[in-house]
Amino acid sequence: MGFLDKFDAILLDMGDTFMFECDHFSELEDFGKTYRNHGGNLLSDLQVESIIVQIYNRMGNDYNNPEYYESFPSLKSYIVKIINENNLPISEIDLLEQVFTKHEIGIIPNTYSAAISQLRKTHKLGVVSNIWCKSEFCFQEFHRVGISGLFETIIFSSDYGIIKPSPLIFQKAIENIGVNKSKIVFIGDNLLFDIAGSKAVGLSAIWINSNNQPLSPTIPTPDLVIQDLRNLLENE
């Protein structure tokens, strides 16, 4: 009997679980080029870089603050605030949102879309993921690899202003998937947001520990530790 045989449903994190190459916000990124590729011409490269870095830093600070777990502001609200602070054209707001999103969203490799398709043959599936951009951009990638129809529920934090590890976002997924939580396992790569969050609402949890990180004494112990989502299929 494989580990997954104990469960009727699987809830998945997205970033670094089955979507990769996310969050390109290092100093090596050419945000100005992305801006121009999307048709931008009013702002200089330095202005674009400054805005994107400010957005990323402010959102990152709030993301790690428990006070924002259930009231996380939208990406656009951060952009609007920075635009207003710097007396820049409001006409650039939507374009800057596209630039930020381009650097946030990653890709779903074919081997992972195939793994999800295989898991769907035996389990109900759902997604619970923290994202900063609008969910429509993630759905575009889901559609590209043909997995949109495989999920009973897809909960993106930006649609609700609630982020993991808040119990509210997990409870929403549990309600939508229609399975007793004792028969649901959550799979994710982040000890706090994924493992502690899911365990707190009574779910079993699988930790994807791709970098052989140590367990934390402050986080509930995951029920299973793997290095890659695809390992679950190897063990079945």
Side-chain angles (χ1 to χ4, degrees):
M1 182 177 182
F3 182 81
L4 290 183
D5 293 334
K6 306 173 188 177
F7 306 100
D8 296 329
I10 299 169
L11 293 174
L12 295 157
D13 170 52
M14 184 177 66
D16 292 328
T17 294
F18 65 88
M19 178 183 279
F20 300 91
E21 299 181 28
C22 308
D23 299 327
H24 294 279
F25 293 104
S26 77
E27 60 185 14
L28 300 177
E29 296 298 315
D30 191 341
F31 302 112
K33 180 179 179 180
T34 306
Y35 170 76
R36 293 190 302 275
N37 286 343
H38 282 76
N41 53 36
L42 292 180
L43 303 177
S44 70
D45 286 2
L46 286 177
Q47 285 177 307
V48 174
E49 178 181 2
S50 175
I51 293 167
I52 298 300
V53 170
Q54 286 183 69
I55 296 167
Y56 181 75
N57 289 339
R58 292 187 189 188
M59 294 190 82
N61 287 335
D62 292 344
Y63 187 71
N64 291 299
N65 184 345
E67 293 183 6
Y68 287 93
Y69 286 171
E70 294 174 5
S71 59
F72 197 77
S74 69
L75 168 58
K76 180 168 281 190
S77 70
Y78 287 92
I79 298 172
V80 169
K81 186 171 184 180
I82 291 170
I83 285 286
N84 289 335
E85 288 173 356
N86 293 277
N87 296 313
L88 297 171
I90 60 172
S91 60
E92 298 299 280
I93 291 172
D94 290 343
L95 185 53
L96 289 166
E97 185 174 19
Q98 293 178 45
V99 172
F100 189 96
T101 297
K102 181 68 175 179
H103 287 264
E104 180 184 358
I105 296 300
I107 61 169
I108 301 171
N110 290 337
T111 54
Y112 287 86
S113 59
I116 290 170
S117 296
Q118 191 66 26
L119 290 171
R120 183 63 183 87
K121 293 179 180 179
T122 54
H123 294 77
K124 287 186 173 183
L125 300 181
V127 173
V128 184
S129 180
N130 287 349
I131 62 172
W132 294 351
C133 67
K134 291 179 180 177
S135 61
E136 64 189 71
F137 298 102
C138 293
F139 280 115
Q140 289 174 7
E141 180 64 5
F142 280 32
H143 290 311
R144 185 188 70 81
V145 297
I147 62 171
S148 298
L150 300 181
F151 301 105
E152 298 288 328
T153 183
I154 299 174
I155 307 292
F156 287 126
S157 64
S158 60
D159 288 332
Y160 299 93
I162 301 169
I163 62 174
K164 298 178 292 184
S166 167
L168 298 182
I169 196 167
F170 291 99
Q171 289 164 354
K172 180 74 172 175
I174 293 168
E175 292 169 5
N176 289 354
I177 208 164
V179 173
N180 188 287
K181 63 184 179 181
S182 66
K183 290 292 185 178
I184 303 173
V185 62
F186 189 90
I187 304 174
D189 69 301
N190 187 285
L191 278 175
L192 172 60
F193 295 116
D194 296 324
I195 306 308
S198 59
K199 297 285 279 186
V201 296
L203 300 179
S204 296
I206 299 173
W207 180 32
I208 296 179
N209 183 14
S210 59
N211 297 316
N212 294 314
Q213 297 296 311
L215 286 165
S216 169
T218 63
I219 301 294
T221 302
D223 298 280
L224 181 69
V225 180
I226 59 177
Q227 287 194 313
D228 190 289
L229 178 66
R230 298 168 298 180
N231 294 156
L232 292 171
L233 298 175
E234 297 168 3
N235 294 332
E236 289 299 292

